[in-house]
PDB file of all heavy atoms in Angstrom:
ATOM      1  N   GLN A 573      -6.516 -13.733  11.104  1.00 70.00           N
ATOM      2  CA  GLN A 573      -7.965 -13.730  11.305  1.00 70.00           C
ATOM      3  C   GLN A 573      -8.573 -12.334  11.289  1.00 70.00           C
ATOM      4  O   GLN A 573      -9.733 -12.163  10.936  1.00 70.00           O
ATOM      5  CB  GLN A 573      -8.303 -14.452  12.613  1.00 70.00           C
ATOM      6  CG  GLN A 573      -7.976 -15.934  12.571  1.00 70.00           C
ATOM      7  CD  GLN A 573      -8.461 -16.680  13.801  1.00 70.00           C
ATOM      8  OE1 GLN A 573      -8.974 -16.081  14.751  1.00 70.00           O
ATOM      9  NE2 GLN A 573      -8.299 -17.992  13.786  1.00 70.00           N
ATOM     10  N   SER A 574      -7.786 -11.318  11.661  1.00 71.00           N
ATOM     11  CA  SER A 574      -8.330  -9.955  11.702  1.00 71.00           C
ATOM     12  C   SER A 574      -8.073  -9.174  10.421  1.00 71.00           C
ATOM     13  O   SER A 574      -8.445  -8.007  10.324  1.00 71.00           O
ATOM     14  CB  SER A 574      -7.727  -9.190  12.885  1.00 71.00           C
ATOM     15  OG  SER A 574      -6.323  -9.029  12.697  1.00 71.00           O
ATOM     16  N   SER A 575      -7.446  -9.816   9.421  1.00 72.00           N
ATOM     17  CA  SER A 575      -7.099  -9.060   8.214  1.00 72.00           C
ATOM     18  C   SER A 575      -7.492  -9.777   6.931  1.00 72.00           C
ATOM     19  O   SER A 575      -8.424  -9.384   6.237  1.00 72.00           O
ATOM     20  CB  SER A 575      -5.589  -8.758   8.202  1.00 72.00           C
ATOM     21  OG  SER A 575      -4.834  -9.957   8.371  1.00 72.00           O
ATOM     22  N   PHE A 576      -6.807 -10.876   6.586  1.00 73.00           N
ATOM     23  CA  PHE A 576      -6.996 -11.522   5.292  1.00 73.00           C
ATOM     24  C   PHE A 576      -7.948 -12.716   5.337  1.00 73.00           C
ATOM     25  O   PHE A 576      -8.304 -13.260   4.299  1.00 73.00           O
ATOM     26  CB  PHE A 576      -5.651 -12.006   4.744  1.00 73.00           C
ATOM     27  CG  PHE A 576      -4.623 -10.916   4.568  1.00 73.00           C
ATOM     28  CD1 PHE A 576      -3.279 -11.178   4.762  1.00 73.00           C
ATOM     29  CD2 PHE A 576      -4.996  -9.628   4.215  1.00 73.00           C
ATOM     30  CE1 PHE A 576      -2.328 -10.186   4.599  1.00 73.00           C
ATOM     31  CE2 PHE A 576      -4.058  -8.627   4.053  1.00 73.00           C
ATOM     32  CZ  PHE A 576      -2.719  -8.902   4.245  1.00 73.00           C
ATOM     33  N   ALA A 577      -8.341 -13.162   6.524  1.00 59.00           N
ATOM     34  CA  ALA A 577      -9.096 -14.399   6.660  1.00 59.00           C
ATOM     35  C   ALA A 577     -10.572 -14.214   6.310  1.00 59.00           C
ATOM     36  O   ALA A 577     -11.145 -13.135   6.452  1.00 59.00           O
ATOM     37  CB  ALA A 577      -8.965 -14.948   8.071  1.00 59.00           C
ATOM     38  N   ALA A 578     -11.167 -15.317   5.837  1.00 66.00           N
ATOM     39  CA  ALA A 578     -12.611 -15.441   5.626  1.00 66.00           C
ATOM     40  C   ALA A 578     -12.920 -16.927   5.760  1.00 66.00           C
ATOM     41  O   ALA A 578     -12.028 -17.773   5.603  1.00 66.00           O
ATOM     42  CB  ALA A 578     -13.006 -14.918   4.246  1.00 66.00           C
ATOM     43  N   PRO A 579     -14.169 -17.289   6.067  1.00 67.00           N
ATOM     44  CA  PRO A 579     -14.483 -18.710   6.252  1.00 67.00           C
ATOM     45  C   PRO A 579     -14.029 -19.597   5.091  1.00 67.00           C
ATOM     46  O   PRO A 579     -13.550 -20.714   5.302  1.00 67.00           O
ATOM     47  CB  PRO A 579     -16.003 -18.710   6.398  1.00 67.00           C
ATOM     48  CG  PRO A 579     -16.312 -17.376   7.007  1.00 67.00           C
ATOM     49  CD  PRO A 579     -15.333 -16.428   6.373  1.00 67.00           C
ATOM     50  N   ALA A 580     -14.127 -19.091   3.864  1.00 64.00           N
ATOM     51  CA  ALA A 580     -13.786 -19.912   2.696  1.00 64.00           C
ATOM     52  C   ALA A 580     -12.298 -20.198   2.598  1.00 64.00           C
ATOM     53  O   ALA A 580     -11.886 -21.104   1.866  1.00 64.00           O
ATOM     54  CB  ALA A 580     -14.262 -19.214   1.419  1.00 64.00           C
ATOM     55  N   THR A 581     -11.473 -19.431   3.327  1.00 72.00           N
ATOM     56  CA  THR A 581     -10.031 -19.668   3.228  1.00 72.00           C
ATOM     57  C   THR A 581      -9.593 -20.931   3.951  1.00 72.00           C
ATOM     58  O   THR A 581      -8.454 -21.367   3.803  1.00 72.00           O
ATOM     59  CB  THR A 581      -9.237 -18.463   3.781  1.00 72.00           C
ATOM     60  OG1 THR A 581      -9.598 -18.234   5.154  1.00 72.00           O
ATOM     61  CG2 THR A 581      -9.503 -17.213   2.959  1.00 72.00           C
ATOM     62  N   LYS A 582     -10.515 -21.553   4.744  1.00 76.00           N
ATOM     63  CA  LYS A 582     -10.142 -22.748   5.500  1.00 76.00           C
ATOM     64  C   LYS A 582     -10.102 -24.005   4.640  1.00 76.00           C
ATOM     65  O   LYS A 582      -9.209 -24.844   4.791  1.00 76.00           O
ATOM     66  CB  LYS A 582     -11.108 -22.968   6.666  1.00 76.00           C
ATOM     67  CG  LYS A 582     -10.959 -21.954   7.794  1.00 76.00           C
ATOM     68  CD  LYS A 582     -11.866 -22.321   8.959  1.00 76.00           C
ATOM     69  CE  LYS A 582     -11.674 -21.359  10.126  1.00 76.00           C
ATOM     70  NZ  LYS A 582     -12.539 -21.705  11.279  1.00 76.00           N
ATOM     71  N   ASP A 583     -11.075 -24.154   3.747  1.00 79.00           N
ATOM     72  CA  ASP A 583     -11.190 -25.462   3.099  1.00 79.00           C
ATOM     73  C   ASP A 583     -11.544 -25.430   1.619  1.00 79.00           C
ATOM     74  O   ASP A 583     -11.811 -26.483   1.042  1.00 79.00           O
ATOM     75  CB  ASP A 583     -12.222 -26.318   3.856  1.00 79.00           C
ATOM     76  CG  ASP A 583     -13.539 -25.591   4.080  1.00 79.00           C
ATOM     77  OD1 ASP A 583     -13.822 -24.625   3.351  1.00 79.00           O
ATOM     78  OD2 ASP A 583     -14.287 -25.997   4.989  1.00 79.00           O
ATOM     79  N   THR A 584     -11.556 -24.278   0.980  1.00 85.00           N
ATOM     80  CA  THR A 584     -11.760 -24.269  -0.468  1.00 85.00           C
ATOM     81  C   THR A 584     -10.559 -24.928  -1.139  1.00 85.00           C
ATOM     82  O   THR A 584      -9.415 -24.573  -0.841  1.00 85.00           O
ATOM     83  CB  THR A 584     -11.930 -22.826  -0.992  1.00 85.00           C
ATOM     84  OG1 THR A 584     -13.048 -22.214  -0.349  1.00 85.00           O
ATOM     85  CG2 THR A 584     -12.147 -22.823  -2.499  1.00 85.00           C
ATOM     86  N   PRO A 585     -10.774 -25.892  -2.036  1.00 88.00           N
ATOM     87  CA  PRO A 585      -9.652 -26.619  -2.646  1.00 88.00           C
ATOM     88  C   PRO A 585      -8.668 -25.707  -3.374  1.00 88.00           C
ATOM     89  O   PRO A 585      -9.048 -24.669  -3.923  1.00 88.00           O
ATOM     90  CB  PRO A 585     -10.348 -27.572  -3.622  1.00 88.00           C
ATOM     91  CG  PRO A 585     -11.728 -27.735  -3.081  1.00 88.00           C
ATOM     92  CD  PRO A 585     -12.074 -26.414  -2.466  1.00 88.00           C
TER      93      PRO A 585
END
Side-chain angles (χ1 to χ4, degrees):
Q573 294 187 355
S574 65
S575 53
F576 301 146
T581 59
K582 289 185 177 181
D583 51 21
T584 301

